[in-house]
């Protein structure tokens, strides 16, 4: 009950500190006979990897996935899939100077409040490094969704600091997202975002922003009507990502400024005879259950807490001190947050897709 | 696994359709020896009740809580607390005309997609009536938090349609919230909001908005560092409320437009020697764990889907039809959403408070 | 987390004390479109009811099931099914004299150890009355198993005190079980058992014994290979019944006295081409997973703790006192335990049948 | 939901096939600040290891525990503890001849029924090798129980085939258990058991038996009154061990042959003023909750399914074939089952001890 598991039917449990032996994940409940190779997991890991461009941290984590269990001759066995990613680039010495400090807007103080101690060699369990394990599990979920239901999940950067991209969620392609290091399919704004991030780096500062994600071909009927609404589980998963401060689905906060008559999504009969909506302010979910339209969500990420400017803080003894972070850090997590958002959305959808299999069983 | 349970240690399970025999809740895991009377549960239910003012629905649901189990001589037994609220004002006839229609932005179509049938006499399980059960359970959680930890949870309406209140979360009192039917402590804006809601009603339309909630005296150390971050569970609980479209904590979406140096919360040593933050952009949670500052969250609620204007939709046979809703409905759910938000926040905090009891056990 | 829930996919939560307002159960996860009427639930409840014969307690509990939620027009909605059974024959006065005593081999002392208090008006939460809620839920599970998979679950009394029946589990019929008040299909031994129970009653004493249960037509593939083995979940469910002291599957304890060559179940090809076993010492489960043979389990129930003879015990103050129970109690729970065993086996199988639906999803 | 997790508060998840890269376990929910070294985990693993004597399999698995996460400077961090045990002695070639056969009373056929495929290189997930991961986790649970509550768990072999030891559970010491390779503290019977096992090996046959386990110093109040009774969770855990066919607590099946007046445990006031029982037919648990007496359970293990004699079986195509197993196998699992039983009892008790911490929180 330490809160390191996610999902019910497709259930993942992650482990690992940033500077221990490694991080990893166990996926329990993945159906057997799913064809998947370690290279598909590695592919998603590589998208999350630091050091992909000047815009993100220059650390070379070189995350290599080793499948310890659950795969055999290229397919899943139906047993737990365990994936280990060794820590290699760990330089704990860099943290020694800060072992008695509480970095502002980091988890140092709260970790000590909770546990009475912490692994001070980096962020420990609170490190964003833990998300590599989620991405590995998300790659399995993605493959299941694709193979079993044709669902595709794609995310991109929608906003960095004051720069808002103009994007039609329906038309974005993976190629357009990966075409630039910011992972923003609006090429013009992507350049402006890159410049802003570079500027922040030069000032030892950092920027936040918004990632948008769409899931296409989600069949109607996923999600539960009360607590485990699809948007509730999406919010739960996405707000569990480090640095996330907000979540919205469909019209979100902006939708609160419309009237009901302007906000409701009128139904029409689609070409296949199934009800479709003319608009998608619902974001693909109504009453907690998918309606067959694109599921569209957005996540707010705060500016990275680690900055190279001097900051006021306190140490364990209560003394007020000035902290100046050293080391290599992301001036903006948004580009690397894209695969994280996709991974969490895949985990939620795979879980609900399987849950629905256990419900829809009678004629 | 139908998703009608919430929480791990303080675990609630709700049941009931809007037009069945009743709705209710079972709370498993509430500690024994908590003094609580049915009147305390009823008090919170009364705040949620329809018909409190012209601004909300005129239905008189008259929710009366009956405690079926778990209380004895004024205290909890430590066994499941079961609370039943009979349905009394059910007039299913009003829905008969709509039994084959899919109301826009309602759960009719998605419910049928999921289950292959639905209780068409009202919203069935998707009805907001289910939230009465949450409020009843929330009253127990609130009492536990207050008695065991001195935690106080208070919510209010922050925005209705285009009207934004000016509120300092730190200073709001329950009296100020309950002083007007909108439940907005900014008296001036409250009047404007009331007028706007009344105007929407006259046009057969509806309005959305934002509820803000603060939890005070939350001890440091609540929440788990990975998936079950405190903000993740808050998002999960609050996004499971009907009509919610967005969630944020602390600086939220607005915080993405600050730089890291402007966003970080500097630590100082508080009067009691404990680290405190000069600002609270973190919203009381850092790395998923409470830091002892006020926990501040906001929830976006869309404009009520039920409106009295004609709307385009389809019926079960795929025919396109025009729907004009009759009956008594909320032109704006915001005032009644206030106790719902408080209830969900209480459920999350009570759960995490108990979870932390099972962790902090060694010297 | 108070341990009042059972199952994962077909998940039941019971509530209620023996002398509160009532007891009940919420079933979350039952698939929609299952045809079931309250009379089917009542039928199983009636088999559990006290006062059916002189062999069991003469209390007339008159358990009447009220369905509060989850059924509509004769079928399940897919939403939680809530069933309430009011307490009517409660005469707490009978217990007042014992409110400060700890009855031997009862839960009085342990309840107080755990909770610091107890509802002394009867057994409270520890009362066997709670099992009525399980039987109600079990009736739903039984119907699901029958409708969806053709599974039939049947139990009977195999042993009372020193009297061992001779029974071939494969051939027992419900008619043979219900043909006598002991619920033992060996008519001759049933008479002897009845006489022994009557004799025990006359002496103010009580008897224990063994219930045997078979599940027929269980498809191969139910159960999980590690912790949630089918026999592990059956043991968990059956050892959670009041007064149970032992569990075995297939050859059980007696099988430990065979050699491997005598114990193994040889495979042959069955008439339908599927592997079948020549013998069934495995009890229908191999490696935790059903193999398509009859699932056969046995449960040991101790002699009823409540007896009419004087017994040595202590009171809350530590004083040693003599207790002589009054009131109407079962001299032997075995006949009434039969529907309880069936209910728990149905709950386990329904849960695993649904779990397997969520696993077997890829071509 | 693949059933590879156990426990609620102290929650373990195991992974791994017998001939994959390795097996392992993640423990989520272990409190922080528990002093434990990898050598304590290795100590319990070594007791389980094959090849300890001629009585058990001669395979040299050489299980070496690597702690991947959760420990730091000799204490637990409160984060998931992950332990990996690489597979080293895997000789899958030995199994190639059997890849299309279903070994009698093994999990080959049921695994294929469930998943549609299996890792035929050994038992895959069904292999008893998985229990090494449980023993590793059990060592952590044991240390927690010892450090936090002074609980000690000790098991031994009570019966092998027809040889029943005479043992007073109260007086057994670890030294007496480990004094002979059978792990039976009755020295005389231990010799007879060893001879019987050796004889079975010579005949290519195998033997079963019973392991008994006592937990001492268990505080009153552990266990839940309904489904999660302490004996129910013990039964669940112990019946999830490979080859287990039966479970009993206290008087068990034999107790069904006593009358209530002979079976009840009279209460007296103990030297410390706390109620104690004169006898312990309850096995330390009453109404599902520990009463402070020794918890005493027994588990029946069938004779090993793998024998060196020719057996009748079928292959995948349905053809009837004769199987003669080769390789090194246990003629009797009982001695090696002793640490497994202890591990599962430790896992159950640690879980319930922590669960009770979250309940007993109000004055």
């Amino acid at each position: 009950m330490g809160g390191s598991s996610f999902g019910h039917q497709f259930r993942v449990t992650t482990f690992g500190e940033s500077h221990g032996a490694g991080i990893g994940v166990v996926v329990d409940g993945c159906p057997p006979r799913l064809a998947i190779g370690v290279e598909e997991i590695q592919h998603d890991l590589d998208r999350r990897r630091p050091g992909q461009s000047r815009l993100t941290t220059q650390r070379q984590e070189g995350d290599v996935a080793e499948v310890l269990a659950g795969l055999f001759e290229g397919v899943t066995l139906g047993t737990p899939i365990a994936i280990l990613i060794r820590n290699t680039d760990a330089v704990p010495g860099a943290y020694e100077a800060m072992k008695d400090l509480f970095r502002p807007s980091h988890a140092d103080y709260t970790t000590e409040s909770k546990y009475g101690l912490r692994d001070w060699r980096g962020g420990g369990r609170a490190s964003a490094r833990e998300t590599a394990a989620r991405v590995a599990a998300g790659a399995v979920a993605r493959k299941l969704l694709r193979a079993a239901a044709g669902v595709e999940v794609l995310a991109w950067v929608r906003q960095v600091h004051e720069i808002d991209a103009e994007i039609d969620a329906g038309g974005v392609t993976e190629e357009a997202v990966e075409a630039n290091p910011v992972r923003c399919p609006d090429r013009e704004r992507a350049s402006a975002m890159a410049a802003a991030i570079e500027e922040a780096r030069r000032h030892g500062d950092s920027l936040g922003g918004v990632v948008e994600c769409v899931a296409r071909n989600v069949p109607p009927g996923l999600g539960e009507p009360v607590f485990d609404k699809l948007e509730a589980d999406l919010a739960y998963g996405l707000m569990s990502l480090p640095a996330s401060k907000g979540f919205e689905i469909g019209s979100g906060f902006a939708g609160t400024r419309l009237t009901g008559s302007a906000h409701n999504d009128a139904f029409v009969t689609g070409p296949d005879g199934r009800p479709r909506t003319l608009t998608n302010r619902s974001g693909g979910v109504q009453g907690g259950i998918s309606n067959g339209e694109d599921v569209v969500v957005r996540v707010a990420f705060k500016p990275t807490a680690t900055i190279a400017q001097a900051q006021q803080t306190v140490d364990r003894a209560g003394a007020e001190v000035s902290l100046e972070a050293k080391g290599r850090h992301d001036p903006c997590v948004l580009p690397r947050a894209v695969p994280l958002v996709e991974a969490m959305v895949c985990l939620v959808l795979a879980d609900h897709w399987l849950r629905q299999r256990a419900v829809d069983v009678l004629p």
Side-chain angles (χ1 to χ4, degrees), chain A:
Chain A
M1 234 210 344
S4 286
S5 295
F6 186 82
H8 294 258
Q9 189 62 44
F10 191 97
R11 186 165 176 84
V12 305
T13 302
T14 74
F15 60 85
E17 281 73 46
S18 63
H19 291 70
I23 60 167
V25 65
V26 182
V27 180
D28 198 18
C30 184
R33 310 188 297 274
L34 177 68
I36 185 166
V38 68
E39 70 284 358
E40 296 174 81
I41 297 164
Q42 190 64 49
H43 173 264
D44 276 11
L45 273 181
D46 288 346
R47 290 180 65 218
R48 178 206 163 274
R49 198 162 43 83
Q52 300 172 75
S53 80
R54 279 187 58 78
L55 299 180
T56 57
T57 175
Q58 298 302 304
R59 274 174 294 124
Q60 295 292 342
E61 291 187 9
D63 298 331
V64 176
E66 179 191 8
V67 177
L68 297 172
L71 297 192
F72 180 58
E73 301 183 337
V75 296
T76 55
L77 284 165
T79 56
I81 301 166
I83 303 168
L84 175 63
I85 303 162
R86 295 273 176 186
N87 293 330
T88 53
D89 188 44
V91 192
Y95 290 92
E96 194 136 20
M98 296 190 294
K99 65 185 280 194
D100 292 316
L101 298 185
F102 299 132
R103 290 171 294 162
S105 291
H106 269 275
D108 300 342
Y109 168 59
T110 54
T111 299
E112 291 225 359
S113 295
K114 183 174 193 68
Y115 298 120
L117 84 170
R118 67 186 168 99
D119 180 347
W120 48 264
R121 305 167 301 170
R125 187 70 180 140
S127 167
R129 182 152 177 71
E130 180 270 343
T131 59
R134 306 186 188 204
V135 168
V140 181
R142 187 196 298 272
K143 188 66 185 289
L144 174 63
L145 288 167
R146 191 175 280 161
V151 175
E152 292 290 339
V153 173
L154 183 65
W156 53 83
V157 172
R158 181 165 190 109
Q159 175 211 320
V160 167
H161 197 228
E162 297 282 13
I163 305 163
D164 297 273
E166 296 207 352
I167 296 166
D168 167 32
V172 179
T173 64
E174 189 181 344
E175 293 65 40
V177 174
E178 297 294 335
N180 60 68
V182 182
R183 292 201 169 106
C184 171
D186 175 341
R187 284 175 57 184
E188 213 169 310
R189 295 321 195 298
S191 298
M193 290 171 178
I197 296 171
E198 193 52 41
E199 170 88 357
R201 174 201 300 282
R202 271 197 305 273
H203 288 86
D205 214 333
S206 65
L207 301 182
V210 173
V211 170
E212 188 168 53
C213 184
V214 64
R216 294 167 179 151
N217 295 326
V218 177
L222 305 196
E224 302 290 336
V226 180
F227 295 112
D228 293 359
K229 287 183 164 76
L230 197 58
E231 67 267 44
D233 272 346
L234 287 165
Y236 168 39
L238 291 165
M239 290 301 298
S240 79
L241 287 173
S244 62
K245 301 300 287 181
F247 166 89
E248 54 182 23
I249 183 164
S251 63
F253 279 89
T256 65
R257 296 179 187 272
L258 297 176
T259 63
S261 58
H263 189 274
N264 280 357
D265 292 317
F267 277 115
V268 294
T269 296
D272 59 351
R274 188 164 69 67
R276 304 295 306 269
T277 62
L278 280 180
T279 48
N280 188 19
R281 292 185 197 96
S282 298
V285 182
Q286 292 176 326
I289 302 168
S290 62
N291 66 357
E293 307 299 322
D294 282 355
V295 174
V296 183
V297 298
R298 282 172 297 280
V299 189
F301 290 93
K302 68 174 186 179
T304 322
T306 303
I307 55 176
Q309 300 183 6
Q311 295 181 83
Q312 175 183 2
T313 191
V314 299
D315 65 15
R316 240 197 215 104
E320 307 202 344
V321 294
S322 178
L323 165 73
E324 209 161 327
K326 292 187 175 56
R328 304 151 297 173
H329 291 280
D330 279 333
C332 181
V333 298
L334 273 288
R336 289 181 61 209
V338 164
L340 307 190
V341 167
E342 291 179 2
M344 293 312 300
V345 170
C346 287
L347 291 178
V348 171
L349 292 176
D351 191 42
H352 276 283
W353 189 81
L354 289 173
R355 287 173 75 167
Q356 179 63 4
R357 297 286 76 68
V359 167
D360 195 22
V361 298
L362 293 176

